[in-house]
Amino acid sequence: MKNSSKSFKSDYHEFDIIPEYPYSLNFYTKKPEEEIGLSEFKALALKRWHLLKDIESVQVQNSVYSENENNLFEIIQKKNPLPLNVSGDGSGVTPEIMYYQRREDLISHYILRLAYCEQEDKKEWFINQECNLFKMRWERNKNNYEKKEFLKTLNLPMEVVSEEEKYKLKDDMFNNETYYKIPFEVVTDLVQNRTVFIKKGNAYVPLSNQISVIINEFRQNLKRSLDYLGENFSKMKIKEDERLYSIIKKIADNNVYETYKPSNNGEIKYQDIPRIAQYFPLCMKRLQDELVINSHLRHGGRMQYGLFLKGINLPLDESLKFWRHAFNKMTEDQFQKGYAYNIRHNYGKEGKRADYRPYSCNKIIMGNPPSTGEYHGCPFRHSPIEVLEVMLRKRGIKESTITQIIAFTRSQHYQLACRAMLEEVSGISAVKLENISYPNDYFNQCYPGSEIYKNLIKASNQEDTQNIDEMEF
């Protein structure tokens, strides 16, 4: 193993003294070159895995989320000592500690790249949590000079808008803030939420929304790298080292998502679905509504909705009846030839006979967005804000809750938005609700026939009774 010890001057400038890792922020474009032992390899992998899991857990569980990432950081710090480089500008940290933090950060990131590059769902999870970690570091870093120098290294397609150009445009959206001119396709989330001014293919993004541009670039870079690594993983010599490969495989086999919990609400009949659809999450209620209107759903919608229905205990024979009844504008022969096989395949009765589980929230959020005439995906992620507001009002959601949901949506915390809606629909306090990792988790916690819902209500009533008994008069 190469000797990684360093010597530092007492009087230093951060960027000069740590040339290998000049910034606390990192796009991980430079691979680690040093050799490390297996014990450190395993230890660093576990550190980062636990850190990313803690970040995910805290974000989902704490629905009262602040735009200030410091709040998130403080909550995570209580759960995890944050052994990796998340200190932001490194204030109060010695050069030696700063060096080893950044070294561990780089190496641990690349270890998890190896572990998650081959499985699409885990690749999506890894990308999401790394984006969350980067955003947290960016928000905590108060060293604007470092941020500016770091951005120069990225060569992003950003151009500062001059005061003269702002005056010529004369749009009410402009204020005294610094603005950047960026190709609109780079900031589709901001365009969708109508928070930026657009002209001639360019979006005019204020400095306060700069993080959206950076995160989008970080996400795309990481996805490209993981795709390339996944395509070439079998050609690498890692599998020849049994000890090394066994560690990577063990990490890859760790369940990054909440364990899927099948519904325990008895068997559902196809005639029940219109009645119980009021307990479906917004993504599935929309699919049901559009299915009724159009008597058809395209492939993406059928897959997402069909597996959800399977997950709430709609048996195969009832599923075939449901879809045949819904597709009422086609002949029996057309249905059997075009659709029945795929329905049986989802239930493991055709093809390789795999037992497919419902799509996870991460898969739905990060999947291909719906195009015209398609209705799959996550409404909090893929619908324009004004369309989302209409959907929520049609569901009877209170205006105060809609305001909270829209705030979560604008901050790209889509599962928190869904959780806020569940809290109102179920009548159960958010602190008592379980995480929503699958749309089925939403249904299980608000459908009156679900054992999970019954247990939540029972526990909530017992706590209320206990609180009354303890009151002093």
Side-chain angles (χ1 to χ4, degrees):
M1 177 178 172
K2 292 181 182 178
N3 188 344
S4 59
S5 62
K6 299 282 291 183
S7 60
F8 300 92
K9 295 178 288 185
S10 57
D11 182 21
Y12 71 95
H13 189 290
E14 186 176 325
F15 304 150
D16 298 328
I17 202 66
I18 316 179
E20 302 94 332
Y21 317 108
Y23 308 106
S24 62
L25 302 160
N26 202 335
F27 260 41
Y28 308 105
T29 54
K30 181 181 178 182
K31 298 187 290 291
E33 299 291 341
E34 67 178 280
E35 298 174 4
I36 64 172
L38 284 175
S39 59
E40 185 180 16
F41 184 94
K42 183 177 180 179
L44 291 179
L46 287 174
K47 277 184 179 182
R48 197 175 197 93
W49 186 83
H50 282 296
L51 177 61
L52 297 184
K53 285 294 290 181
D54 283 346
I55 290 172
E56 177 193 42
S57 176
V58 167
Q59 282 199 322
V60 172
Q61 290 176 11
N62 289 275
S63 57
V64 184
Y65 183 84
S66 170
E67 284 295 311
N68 186 348
E69 295 289 336
N70 286 326
N71 290 0
L72 174 61
F73 179 88
E74 298 301 336
I75 296 170
I76 293 174
Q77 197 171 35
K78 292 176 182 177
K79 295 185 63 180
N80 189 312
L82 296 181
L84 298 176
N85 169 37
V86 294
S87 59
D89 59 5
S91 299
V93 178
T94 65
E96 291 90 346
I97 293 175
M98 200 181 296
Y99 170 83
Y100 287 111
Q101 279 184 335
R102 296 178 186 183
R103 169 186 171 273
E104 287 190 357
D105 175 48
L106 180 69
I107 295 172
S108 64
H109 170 86
Y110 269 90
I111 293 172
L112 291 200
R113 276 197 189 190
L114 290 172
Y116 294 140
C117 66
E118 292 191 291
Q119 302 178 56
E120 283 300 320
D121 58 339
K122 293 185 177 180
K123 187 192 300 183
E124 290 169 2
W125 177 87
F126 178 62
I127 291 172
N128 284 340
Q129 304 319 316
E130 286 289 333
C131 285
N132 288 334
L133 176 58
F134 184 92
K135 186 172 183 240
M136 183 171 66
R137 287 175 172 162
W138 178 271
E139 297 293 343
R140 279 191 59 78
N141 193 328
K142 305 308 178 187
N143 188 333
N144 290 328
Y145 178 74
E146 181 192 3
K147 285 182 177 181
K148 182 179 176 182
E149 292 300 308
F150 172 73
L151 286 178
K152 287 180 182 178
T153 69
L154 303 181
N155 296 317
L156 296 176
M158 298 169 60
E159 177 186 341
V160 176
V161 180
S162 67
E163 290 300 320
E164 181 182 1
E165 185 175 0
K166 285 167 63 175
Y167 177 77
K168 287 180 180 178
L169 291 170
K170 292 182 179 177
D171 189 87
D172 291 339
M173 289 187 70
F174 291 121
N175 52 37
N176 293 328
E177 201 172 353
T178 299
Y179 279 78
Y180 294 88
K181 186 162 58 176
I182 303 166
F184 79 91
E185 62 269 17
V186 177
V187 287
T188 52
D189 55 330
L190 297 178
V191 173
Q192 179 177 295
N193 291 337
R194 300 195 173 188
T195 56
V196 291
F197 175 74
I198 300 175
K199 186 173 183 180
K200 294 183 179 179
N202 290 312
Y204 289 76
V205 181
L207 180 63
S208 56
N209 281 333
Q210 190 182 51
I211 184 61
S212 293
V213 182
I214 301 166
I215 287 291
N216 283 342
E217 189 70 16
F218 180 82
R219 182 185 295 278
Q220 293 305 316
N221 281 352
L222 183 52
K223 186 179 186 307
R224 283 192 295 268
S225 298
L226 286 168
D227 288 344
Y228 178 81
L229 188 58
E231 292 168 3
N232 293 277
F233 188 77
S234 60
K235 303 173 188 176
M236 302 171 70
K237 296 182 179 180
I238 292 175
K239 292 184 178 181
E240 296 176 9
D241 188 325
E242 290 185 8
R243 294 180 302 167
L244 179 62
Y245 183 65
S246 66
I247 295 173
I248 292 175
K249 190 174 186 307
K250 189 171 182 179
I251 298 168
D253 289 342
N254 270 336
N255 185 29
V256 296
Y257 296 120
E258 295 282 337
T259 303
Y260 171 66
K261 300 172 184 175
S263 296
N264 183 17
N265 47 247
E267 193 172 284
I268 300 292
K269 300 294 185 181
Y270 86 92
Q271 303 99 318
D272 298 331
I273 292 174
R275 174 180 58 82
I276 66 175
Q278 61 183 304
Y279 305 109
F280 289 179
L282 199 59
C283 56
M284 299 304 167
K285 182 63 167 66
R286 185 185 190 191
L287 286 167
Q288 170 63 19
D289 291 345
E290 296 298 336
L291 178 59
V292 171
I293 293 169
N294 301 307
S295 300
H296 189 264
L297 285 177
R298 293 187 181 178
H299 179 74
R302 295 198 304 273
M303 287 296 295
Q304 180 175 314
Y305 194 36
L307 289 174
F308 167 79
L309 293 175
K310 176 189 174 186
I312 67 170
N313 278 348
L314 184 72
L316 173 58
D317 60 334
E318 294 294 320
S319 182
L320 287 165
K321 292 176 186 176
F322 169 76
W323 289 105
R324 179 66 192 98
H325 179 77
F327 287 6
N328 52 35
K329 294 182 181 179
M330 64 179 63
T331 66
E332 180 67 23
D333 186 59
Q334 287 174 323
F335 178 77
Q336 291 298 330
K337 289 181 177 178
Y339 303 95
Y341 176 90
N342 285 337
I343 296 169
R344 292 194 297 270
H345 185 273
N346 282 348
Y347 280 78
K349 302 302 180 182
E350 301 286 359
K352 61 181 181 180
R353 300 184 182 276
D355 185 21
Y356 295 98
R357 63 175 51 184
Y359 283 2
S360 69
C361 292
N362 262 315
K363 182 177 180 66
I364 293 171
I365 290 169
M366 299 308 300
N368 291 327
S371 58
T372 304
E374 294 182 318
Y375 304 100
H376 63 272
C378 170
F380 303 110
R381 169 67 177 87
H382 297 119
S383 296
I385 292 296
E386 60 270 22
V387 173
L388 176 59
E389 289 177 335
V390 170
M391 283 192 280
L392 292 169
R393 290 190 178 102
K394 284 180 68 176
R395 291 293 297 271
I397 304 301
K398 292 185 298 187
E399 288 300 319
S400 58
T401 304
I402 290 176
T403 300
Q404 183 185 26
I405 289 171
I406 297 304
F408 285 142
T409 300
R410 291 190 188 279
S411 301
Q412 301 179 22
H413 296 294
Y414 309 114
Q415 284 163 279
L416 292 183
C418 190
R419 187 185 177 94
M421 180 173 170
L422 173 60
E423 182 178 9
E424 178 171 326
V425 172
S426 67
I428 300 171
S429 171
V431 297
K432 297 182 178 67
L433 291 171
E434 298 178 6
N435 293 350
I436 303 175
S437 296
Y438 293 81
N440 301 70
D441 294 332
Y442 180 107
F443 176 78
N444 290 343
Q445 295 182 84
C446 68
Y447 174 52
S450 164
E451 289 300 318
I452 293 175
Y453 173 79
K454 292 175 184 177
N455 291 335
L456 286 170
I457 290 294
K458 183 179 179 181
S460 181
N461 290 339
Q462 287 175 345
E463 184 174 321
D464 290 343
T465 301
Q466 182 179 349
N467 290 338
I468 292 173
D469 291 341
E470 292 175 353
M471 290 177 65
E472 295 183 4
F473 294 94

